[in-house]
Amino acid sequence: MIERFHELEPYSLEKSEKDKLLVSELLELTDFHYNNCEFYKNIVNGFGYSEQNIKTVEDFPFLPVRLFKELDLKSIPDDEVFKIMTSSGTTGQAVSKIYVDKDTAILQQKVMIRILSDYIGKNRVPILVIDSPSTVKNRVMFSARGAAIIGLNIVAKKMVFALNDDMTINWEVVNEFFENYGKEKFLIFGFTFIVWQHLYQELVRQNKKFDLPEAFLMTGGGWKKLISEQISRDEFKKRINDVLGIKHFLDHYGMVEQTGCIYAECECGHLHASIYSDVIPRRFNDFSPCEIGEEGILQTISVLPHSYPGHSLLTEDMGRVLGVDDCPCGRKGKYIEISGRIKQAEIRGCSDTYASKF
Amino acid sequence: MLQNSNKIKFLVGSLDTLNNMPNVKVLPIFSDLIMQFLAELSTKLLTKVKTREFMDVISYAFWIRKGHTEKHKGFYKTDERMGRGIALHFAPSNVPVNFAVSFTSALLAGNPCIVRVSNKEFEQVNIICSTINEIIETSLPEMKNYINIIRYEHDDEITAQLSEMCDIRIIWGGDRTIKEIRKAPIPPRAIEMTFADRYSLVIINSDEYLKQDPKQIAKDFYTDTYYTDQNACSSPRLVVWTGNNIEKAKENFWKELEILINNDFELQPIKTVDKLDSFCRLSAVKTDLKLIKNNNSLYRVEVGSLTSDLLTYKDNSGYFFEYSTNKLEDIAPILTKPCQTISYLGIEPQEIRQIVEKFGPRGVDRIVPIGQTMELAFIWDGYNMIEAMSRIIYVR
């Protein structure tokens, strides 16, 4: 039962205790989805799944994240669908469809709050979102960006959108926000590249500077675009500090398929798995689990998905576990580093690549 | 007339030679000029040190050697047939030497050629093109009228201009590529040959298998599949077992293959996800199947029945469906339009041919022994290439 988790602090369990708790919860979840999602049942049968073979967290079957783009995977009747979350695919690409019922939605928000409060404190804070209000307007079909913002809304004392719909800075709103909250603890949230392009570069262009020593800058969405512009994480932090005076940085890793279970960055720059989730880098050769420090393809586990079988997924991201239970920040559990996406295939089938060029 | 020369890179030829092509004489099939050209290309390729790194270039060079083309010349009435005109080729990006196989048939059929090669850079393409240039510059300058090899980024206008000039258009590619290129009209008398995405299978008689050298068969099958990352249309995606010793044969067959895979095959990381995903998509909707795998380089999906949609779930880089039966006719449902090659071991090819005749499916163009699926040939996808690309001059 998920309630057991809520009684614990999100980073309080050592490996052996956490594994025990996760295994029993994951057995329940796997059984539930097996009995309520026909596709899931057929797939794990195809893997030859049997409860008897489960000894550790590493033994559970995992679905490729991509499958949510190709199949409608849900474990609830249609009339219990509260919202459908979608991933932000580029135009023309298929998007993930995640079916969420009310219970799972509440659970996602609750866990998000619990994780975040471990970093920024229990009090609700004002949030300045570096995005446009239209990103969250369509309540039926959320994008990943929209979902992340909505998820944060519940921890917000007040939420304000810093950008206009054309992604220019809405100065009226921003100035007012800084006047009202600039001296206290607050959160600035945005996807890394949007913060860089639509906030930082705009400030530089307009030659504006602020001093916000109490602010937390929470980022997400990966570093790929910045790295392709030769901007490292440290460089990003340094430059943001130059123009905004920000000292606290809170990057995170997460995906729409496991909303709520974010991996947030501690003061040491490490991304932490909470008690609600786990991450297992696996070897390409045979999907066996990697040693600590060894890079692999990431399997992510979350105990939150109760309306769709997304509790154990194989991502297309690479990364490694840096350590377990021993981060200097004091948080227990695994702490990880994400190194990016797997390189796409060079040749695919008789037709595909050629077709994409023609 | 072709205009946008700055967008086009000429690997062989120039804008002048290309625009002059409508004035070039077509040749009889297996003409002396082309036979001599191919013989020189063969010799020159085989003497180059660089060629030795590429098995496919060596195979091509052997295929066009003088003895081989002379032998094939004997199969045709050379005084009856001539070329049709300009042959415009759109080569695929998955098999590097395919562009050469395509123009070789067209040249032997008597046609001047324009070949658009893939934007993907292959060393094999560079080796063959630079050797052709050497021949044009030294011994056979008249060949410059007969071959242009070009590369350009996707461009509807260039494709349209080239298509207006051609008498035969040859498109290698998937359905989308063919659809895109077909938006450009060809002249009223021009013909078109398309080589779309296909799939293939192998049938093995277990009793016969157990009588043969397992190492050699593993090597043959590896050549048919893993050597091209199972990317070629002729690579088997399905293994059908017959006979009385299926279990034993299967065990030996895959064990021997895995030795080769573990030594020689390098799996692309993204393929590990692709293959898992392909299996999930299939197993979500089909229940009579079982996955067998020791590692990610070999997926064996045992299926309890063969249905017409099975091969739409195909994948490559070592991803096989497997089916056991004592009734060969079970394969009938999968002999659909995209089905190309059936390779065999220990089975009379005529027996397979009879099944095709009995059921009259739209698919199956080749029935060849195991290990020979990649063999270069003048018969491909149901076409006799030389005949399809030439015309008969009827005289009485």
Side-chain angles (χ1 to χ4, degrees):
Chain A
M1 293 299 283
I2 192 76
E3 279 70 30
R4 292 177 292 180
F5 290 78
H6 301 331
E7 290 157 14
L8 301 159
E9 289 303 314
Y11 299 98
S12 60
L13 290 188
E14 300 222 333
K15 187 177 185 329
S16 59
E17 299 164 79
K18 179 177 164 181
D19 283 357
K20 228 184 287 167
L21 191 62
L22 274 183
V23 167
S24 81
E25 188 69 16
L26 288 170
L27 279 172
E28 260 178 49
L29 267 177
T30 304
D31 188 54
F32 175 79
H33 293 303
Y34 187 93
N35 290 315
N36 290 280
C37 177
E38 184 79 15
F39 285 159
Y40 184 72
K41 177 182 175 172
N42 292 342
I43 292 167
V44 297
N45 278 343
F47 288 145
Y49 171 76
S50 157
E51 229 177 81
Q52 273 79 51
N53 298 333
I54 303 291
K55 305 266 183 311
T56 71
V57 178
E58 290 160 356
D59 298 331
F60 286 93
F62 42 84
L63 304 187
V65 158
R66 197 190 297 167
L67 204 60
F68 287 87
K69 294 182 181 172
E70 295 158 340
L71 296 175
D72 278 350
L73 293 159
K74 62 178 190 306
S75 310
I76 47 168
D78 286 344
D79 60 358
E80 284 179 26
V81 175
F82 170 64
K83 63 181 176 188
I84 303 168
M85 302 202 298
T86 63
S87 63
S88 56
T90 38
T91 322
Q93 276 185 340
V95 291
S96 284
K97 277 165 80 183
I98 308 299
Y99 294 86
V100 178
D101 64 354
K102 234 175 182 139
D103 289 349
T104 300
I106 291 167
L107 197 53
Q108 288 171 347
Q109 290 178 337
K110 184 181 173 79
V111 171
M112 180 79 139
I113 297 171
R114 298 203 73 210
I115 290 174
L116 271 183
S117 58
D118 204 89
Y119 294 84
I120 59 172
K122 292 218 188 316
N123 292 334
R124 306 206 314 167
V125 290
I127 300 180
L128 182 68
V129 178
I130 310 304
D131 218 317
S132 69
S134 62
T135 314
V136 294
K137 272 204 181 117
N138 186 346
R139 288 239 162 201
V140 189
M141 297 287 273
F142 288 111
S143 68
R145 255 160 62 197
I149 294 163
I150 291 288
L152 269 181
N153 197 17
I154 197 126
V155 296
K157 188 156 119 192
K158 185 182 172 61
M159 185 177 263
V160 168
F161 290 85
L163 304 183
N164 297 306
D165 282 350
D166 64 358
M167 303 302 272
T168 54
I169 296 176
N170 185 339
W171 280 114
E172 198 181 324
V173 162
V174 171
N175 285 330
E176 194 190 324
F177 186 93
F178 286 160
E179 269 165 38
N180 291 340
Y181 308 110
K183 297 278 171 264
E184 59 185 90
K185 182 152 76 180
F186 70 97
L187 203 65
I188 299 176
F189 175 81
F191 274 51
T192 319
F193 191 69
I194 292 175
V195 170
W196 181 254
Q197 187 167 303
H198 298 291
L199 181 66
Y200 170 76
Q201 289 188 336
E202 265 310 291
L203 291 175
V204 171
R205 204 176 60 81
Q206 300 187 19
N207 206 11
K208 290 197 179 188
K209 282 198 177 194
F210 294 90
D211 187 29
L212 311 164
E214 297 301 317
F216 282 78
L217 176 62
M218 183 172 175
T219 47
W223 294 84
K224 204 170 125 194
K225 282 187 177 166
L226 282 187
I227 286 165
S228 72
E229 294 197 358
Q230 312 287 325
I231 305 294
S232 70
R233 279 158 224 231
D234 288 342
E235 181 70 14
F236 176 84
K237 289 177 182 175
K238 191 180 152 287
R239 299 242 209 138
I240 293 282
N241 181 265
D242 282 348
V243 294
L244 286 164
I246 291 175
K247 292 187 175 127
H248 308 291
F249 292 90
L250 186 62
D251 190 33
H252 83 288
Y253 172 66
M255 65 204 77
V256 67
E257 292 82 0
Q258 290 183 343
T259 298
C261 270
I262 59 166
Y263 300 81
E265 181 188 24
C266 71
E267 308 83 77
C268 310
H270 300 147
L271 298 165
H272 283 264
S274 75
I275 52 170
Y276 296 95
S277 66
D278 202 5
V279 55
I280 304 166
R282 292 185 177 272
R283 297 179 180 127
F284 289 114
N285 167 39
D286 56 2
F287 287 150
S288 60
C290 296
E291 300 292 331
I292 288 174
E294 182 185 354
E295 188 181 73
I297 177 169
L298 298 181
Q299 176 199 355
T300 56
I301 282 169
S302 161
V303 293
L304 307 190
H306 283 67
S307 53
Y308 62 97
H311 54 300
S312 172
L313 300 174
L314 187 73
T315 70
E316 293 180 23
D317 297 318
M318 311 267 298
R320 58 201 179 105
V321 173
L322 299 171
V324 186
D325 297 338
D326 59 1
C327 180
C329 80
R331 290 178 180 82
K332 300 294 180 201
K334 284 181 190 166
Y335 50 101
I336 61 171
E337 180 184 76
I338 309 293
S339 34
R341 307 264 298 170
I342 309 177
K343 205 171 104 219
Q344 287 306 303
E346 289 185 345
I347 296 176
R348 291 190 61 192
C350 241
S351 51
D352 299 355
T353 33
Y354 190 57
S356 69
K357 281 174 191 153
F358 242 97
Chain B
M1 270 292 269
L2 188 69
Q3 272 126 22
N4 296 305
S5 67
N6 58 332
K7 288 188 188 166
I8 299 177
K9 190 180 169 207
F10 282 86
L11 305 179
V12 173
S14 64
L15 188 65
D16 285 346
T17 59
L18 195 145
N19 278 331
N20 184 44
M21 279 206 152
N23 310 319
V24 173
K25 285 197 291 186
V26 294
L27 301 168
I29 63 169
F30 291 94
S31 66
D32 292 344
L33 174 65
I34 300 301
M35 296 288 275
Q36 195 188 336
F37 167 70
L38 293 174
E40 282 195 29
L41 184 56
S42 172
T43 316
K44 278 197 150 60
L45 283 173
L46 288 171
T47 49
K48 282 194 175 168
V49 181
K50 242 183 166 177
T51 304
R52 285 179 209 152
E53 293 167 38
F54 300 99
M55 266 304 295
D56 45 0
V57 180
I58 296 174
S59 305
Y60 171 68
F62 267 103
W63 186 57
I64 58 167
R65 74 192 184 279
K66 196 161 183 237
H68 191 250
T69 49
E70 285 290 351
K71 189 180 119 193
H72 276 269
K73 185 179 179 179
F75 301 154
Y76 295 85
K77 289 188 182 161
T78 48
D79 54 354
E80 198 175 64
R81 285 182 168 270
M82 284 187 84
R84 304 181 69 96
I86 295 172
L88 172 64
H89 307 252
F90 291 90
S93 64
N94 63 328
V95 184
V97 298
N98 182 289
F99 81 104
V101 176
S102 194
F103 76 62
T104 299
S105 292
L107 286 174
L108 282 172
N111 306 295
C113 290
I114 303 169
V115 188
R116 190 268 189 186
V117 294
S118 155
N119 277 322
K120 197 170 149 54
E121 298 262 351
F122 290 115
E123 192 50 37
Q124 290 99 317
V125 174
N126 295 337
I127 294 171
I128 293 171
C129 288
S130 65
T131 313
I132 294 173
N133 284 329
E134 281 170 33
I135 295 170
I136 291 173
E137 279 156 25
T138 54
S139 50
L140 289 173
E142 58 269 51
M143 269 311 291
K144 78 171 195 291
N145 296 318
Y146 287 93
I147 186 153
N148 282 283
I149 301 175
I150 58 176
R151 181 175 272 154
Y152 62 90
E153 294 286 339
H154 161 69
D155 189 311
D156 291 339
E157 210 184 315
I158 297 173
T159 300
Q161 287 169 8
L162 290 170
S163 295
E164 265 170 35
M165 294 169 72
C166 79
D167 299 283
I168 312 169
R169 188 164 65 182
I170 301 121
I171 313 171
W172 298 81
D175 298 349
R176 253 183 66 198
T177 307
I178 292 168
K179 217 170 145 184
E180 280 300 312
I181 295 174
R182 275 191 171 162
K183 285 181 189 159
I186 50 175
R189 286 263 309 142
I191 61 163
E192 185 170 77
M193 295 160 75
T194 53
F195 298 91
D197 198 8
R198 312 290 297 271
Y199 63 75
S200 297
L201 61 135
V202 63
I203 306 174
I204 304 175
N205 179 294
S206 54
D207 305 299
E208 292 301 316
Y209 168 79
L210 291 168
K211 289 179 200 158
Q212 301 197 21
D213 174 10
K215 295 228 179 293
Q216 182 56 45
I217 292 162
K219 229 172 120 185
D220 286 346
F221 188 71
Y222 188 95
T223 309
D224 284 343
T225 54
Y226 283 88
Y227 183 72
T228 56
D229 210 15
Q230 218 182 347
N231 248 320
C233 294
S234 56
S235 292
R237 315 278 173 159
L238 163 69
V239 182
V240 176
W241 294 95
T242 66
N244 300 313
N245 268 301
I246 293 177
E247 284 315 309
K248 177 90 186 122
K250 265 161 111 170
E251 196 193 315
N252 291 5
F253 178 83
W254 296 112
K255 198 179 73 195
E256 289 294 344
L257 187 68
E258 280 198 296
I259 296 172
L260 293 182
I261 296 168
N262 294 339
N263 280 334
D264 298 340
F265 181 63
E266 200 182 316
L267 183 68
Q268 295 182 59
I270 188 71
K271 287 308 300 179
T272 63
V273 183
D274 291 344
K275 288 162 78 176
L276 181 72
D277 184 66
S278 294
F279 175 73
C280 288
R281 278 191 298 119
L282 174 68
S283 62
V285 295
K286 284 205 195 310
T287 49
D288 59 342
L289 50 80
K290 190 176 149 200
L291 172 64
I292 303 171
K293 74 178 182 95
N294 292 324
N295 60 47
N296 287 330
S297 294
L298 173 60
Y299 268 60
R300 294 166 55 195
V301 183
E302 285 191 338
V303 294
S305 61
L306 293 180
T307 50
S308 59
D309 63 338
L310 179 67
L311 273 299
T312 61
Y313 295 94
K314 72 177 163 50
D315 206 335
N316 63 332
S317 298
Y319 188 93
F320 300 94
F321 303 115
E322 215 172 351
Y323 178 72
S324 304
T325 183
N326 273 316
K327 232 172 91 229
L328 205 50
E329 287 190 1
D330 285 359
I331 63 169
I334 59 157
L335 307 182
T336 55
K337 235 181 254 186
C339 180
Q340 187 202 54
T341 299
I342 300 181
S343 47
Y344 60 86
L345 173 73
I347 289 168
E348 279 304 312
Q350 282 306 330
E351 201 185 325
I352 301 166
R353 193 174 192 282
Q354 277 159 18
I355 291 174
V356 179
E357 267 176 29
K358 180 173 169 186
F359 290 92
R362 304 292 188 271
V364 187
D365 298 326
R366 285 170 89 214
I367 301 170
V368 300
I370 194 169
Q372 313 275 305
T373 66
M374 296 293 290
E375 191 189 43
L376 301 172
F378 292 114
I379 313 282
W380 194 256
D381 262 18
Y383 291 111
N384 177 322
M385 302 284 266
I386 307 288
E387 288 188 358
M389 293 184 189
S390 60
R391 69 185 206 272
I392 297 179
I393 303 178
Y394 175 64
V395 181
R396 60 161 288 180

